[in-house]
Amino acid sequence: MKNKRFVTFASLLFICVAFFSACEEKYDIQEGITGIYLVTNENSRIVGQTLELNVNTDAGENVTEQSTIFVNGEPIDGNTYNTDEVGIVSVRAEYLNLSSEVLEVEYSDGSEINFRKRALVEDYTGTWCGWCPRVARAIELVDEQSDDVVFVAIHRSPSGTQDPYVFEDADALESLINTPGYPKGFINRMTQWDFPEPDNVGQVLSFTQGANPKLGLAISSEISGNQVDLDVDIQFSQDFQGLKLVVYLLENDLVYPQVNYTAYYNGVNPVEDYVHDHTLRATMTDVLGDPISGEETLTGSITTESFNFDLPSEIENAQNLEFVAFIIDENDEVVNVRKSEINTSQTFEILE
């Protein structure tokens, strides 16, 4: 009887060891590969131009050669595509058991002006928020993969918390998105970044693709002493109605301890010398946008919105400032966005 119990125990032990060994092996295979996304050489193409496609893991590893790329549902050879037909093509990729977000790339006949398409990420965060470094890390991953995403860190301070960079005037934004809790990242203002954000880099990048925005922005600024002169030029290649302009003033390189409950940043809590970038300090417009007259948003129009103001007293270093301007439509979704450093003069980003 005792031997029977021993055999049963040994058998169970063998099964458990074998089971956990199998699980460990599976874990090793999947480690670091939580998702994939596509990267294109342009978000708009003229018929006859080649579209180059690359597949990356969310960790930034290029796995194009091991992936299958589909255009309009059909697999293609290699990672390039061309067409002589005007329209939008849908592109996705598969790698192992993973599938990317679907990207849409517009092919035009070249008769319209197309502009570089950028996406906006608004990160609702706080120095007191221990899970917020998760979104911060995701932003770093996106920034490593694309120059077409603009970031804004909106610091909040609910009751019982303190934050030296809190932006008090974001209550209207919080009401608009109607999503309690922190952290939370929103893409093009109205789409929440899926949790866990570092595993969903492709979701953000997909917003830089698709139909061309048909409007572009250019920012020019000059700071003299404490006085700022700022112009935002907007060019339209189709008729629009119901647009609004939002202009932000951000500050970078703000060093202040960050509470950290995550494994990121070496799992240190707090991160004493944490650098807070893209920190929203002021708005030149209503945070929900200033309306633009429909007479100014017609095909071929260029309109300029000018601002003159004193630097906010809380700014620590004027050399670390940047401006962000974006256009939102009647659904409060971002049409296009642009950022600029201080004392620069931009031109429109027209695609050739």
Side-chain angles (χ1 to χ4, degrees), residues 220-224 227-231 323 342-344:
S220 299
S221 65
E222 184 176 350
I223 297 182
S224 179
Q227 192 73 20
V228 181
D229 290 306
L230 174 70
D231 288 335
F323 299 102
I342 63 171
N343 293 321
T344 60

Side-chain angles (χ1 to χ4, degrees), residues 101-303:
E101 293 265 354
V102 175
L103 297 187
E104 293 183 337
V105 180
E106 183 177 27
Y107 268 89
S108 67
D109 61 7
S111 61
E112 289 184 326
I113 296 176
N114 287 322
F115 299 91
R116 186 170 181 175
K117 185 178 185 179
R118 299 182 185 271
L120 174 71
V121 169
E122 290 173 300
D123 170 26
Y124 295 80
T125 186
T127 61
W128 52 270
C129 172
W131 296 111
C132 286
R134 185 188 73 237
V135 178
R137 177 55 186 152
I139 286 173
E140 292 174 353
L141 291 173
V142 172
D143 195 37
E144 289 170 4
Q145 302 301 317
S146 176
D147 294 327
D148 291 333
V149 183
V150 176
F151 308 103
V152 176
I154 304 173
H155 284 245
R156 303 295 285 153
S157 185
S159 177
T161 67
Q162 292 184 335
D163 189 319
Y165 310 123
V166 62
F167 185 71
E168 300 285 0
D169 295 332
D171 289 349
L173 271 180
E174 294 271 22
S175 296
L176 177 68
I177 61 175
N178 192 28
T179 306
Y182 304 91
K184 55 196 175 198
F186 273 75
I187 312 164
N188 278 1
R189 179 147 282 192
M190 298 305 296
T191 300
Q192 187 164 9
W193 196 348
D194 291 341
F195 169 88
E197 296 83 358
D199 294 347
N200 290 292
V201 171
Q203 183 189 8
V204 175
L205 296 181
S206 68
F207 278 79
T208 67
Q209 310 297 314
N212 194 265
K214 305 300 182 185
L215 67 81
L217 299 101
I219 304 171
S220 299
S221 65
E222 184 176 350
I223 297 182
S224 179
N226 198 47
Q227 192 73 20
V228 181
D229 290 306
L230 174 70
D231 288 335
V232 179
D233 298 327
I234 314 159
Q235 184 175 359
F236 304 90
S237 61
Q238 72 177 34
D239 293 350
F240 287 91
Q241 293 292 324
L243 298 183
K244 290 181 285 187
L245 170 67
V246 180
V247 181
Y248 284 160
L249 174 66
L250 313 182
E251 187 172 5
N252 294 306
D253 297 325
L254 297 170
V255 179
Y256 190 85
Q258 171 67 52
V259 178
N260 179 28
Y261 301 155
T262 77
Y264 301 113
Y265 309 103
N266 297 317
V268 176
N269 182 31
V271 184
E272 293 290 348
D273 56 352
Y274 191 91
V275 178
H276 299 270
D277 287 327
H278 319 297
T279 307
L280 179 57
R281 301 296 249 165
T283 61
M284 283 55 265
T285 61
D286 188 287
V287 71
L288 297 182
D290 289 350
I292 306 173
S293 169
E295 296 178 356
E296 299 179 276
T297 61
L298 303 178
T299 303
S301 297
I302 298 178
T303 185

Side-chain angles (χ1 to χ4, degrees), residues 30 32-37 55-61 63 95 98-100 198-202:
Q30 295 300 322
I33 306 176
T34 53
I36 60 171
Y37 59 91
V55 185
N56 287 356
T57 68
D58 276 314
E61 179 187 2
V63 292
Y95 170 70
L98 301 172
S99 183
S100 72
D199 294 347
N200 290 292
V201 171

Side-chain angles (χ1 to χ4, degrees), residues 41-83:
N41 58 327
E42 292 288 353
N43 54 46
S44 295
R45 300 267 74 188
I46 296 174
V47 290
Q49 291 181 335
T50 298
L51 180 66
E52 182 179 328
L53 302 155
N54 283 282
V55 185
N56 287 356
T57 68
D58 276 314
E61 179 187 2
N62 189 308
V63 292
T64 305
E65 292 186 2
Q66 296 81 39
S67 303
T68 302
I69 298 173
F70 299 82
V71 176
N72 294 332
E74 297 295 327
I76 62 172
D77 293 328
N79 68 324
T80 60
Y81 176 78
N82 206 330
T83 182

